[in-house]
Amino acid sequence: MEPCRVGARAEPVGLAADHEPQPTLDLTMQEMCISYTVDDAQAWFIRMKATSKKRTPSIVNLTVKRRYLTEREVERLMDCARKYGRYGHRDATMILVAYRHGLRASEVCDLQWQQIELSEGRLHVHRVKNGIASVHPIRGDEMRALRKLRRDYPTDAHVFVSERGGPISPIGFHRLIQRLGEATNMPFPIHPHMLRHACGFKLANDGHDTRALQHYLGHKNIQHTVRYTELSPDRFKDFWRG
């Protein structure tokens, strides 16, 4: 707080006080300091009140945007990729693999054929961020899509390659998902990591064990996995049943 400044000189003391009477102040120093402090606080409160009106949250600000896609939304993206993309089968398969195995953009872009055992139906998942590596099963529709993709690209080391023959970059995958989201009229902007979240929520809603889900997604810390079960709508499905 700034020191009080009073526009009056102090009352003299000693002999000078007896011979030079001074005018009496209406307020003492303490009263003037209190008055200054109260006035300053009132001015500050008025300013903050006016500012708070400008910061009043709207309904849009309070709306929590979803961080994942539903299974049906993933299917819509794949259908759109098949129908309108120049490399429709490759793009749809990339989305399917990222969704089924909860892959990050960098993980699906770096995926190589040596990680896939088509004869055994197994996928060796290598995680980034020091995640836990694991072996996932490959189901029928995914197996057929990968077999067809292998026939289309018989000599490439990477599973998903661009026109130039190299692996698709994470930025390229991000742009692909963004374009498909706009083409399918998604109600909000989407990005590749939503496919990983979609996998976690789907498996959690299906009732799979949290510890098994942790290893499936490669989480070092189980707290990263618990969020999928905490937001699962099925955890309250038996509430209010007589």
Side-chain angles (χ1 to χ4, degrees), residues 183-202:
T184 53
N185 297 319
M186 289 290 180
F188 45 80
I190 65 174
H191 52 81
H193 208 71
M194 286 183 167
L195 296 172
R196 176 171 168 83
H197 289 321
C199 175
F201 281 112
K202 171 65 167 63

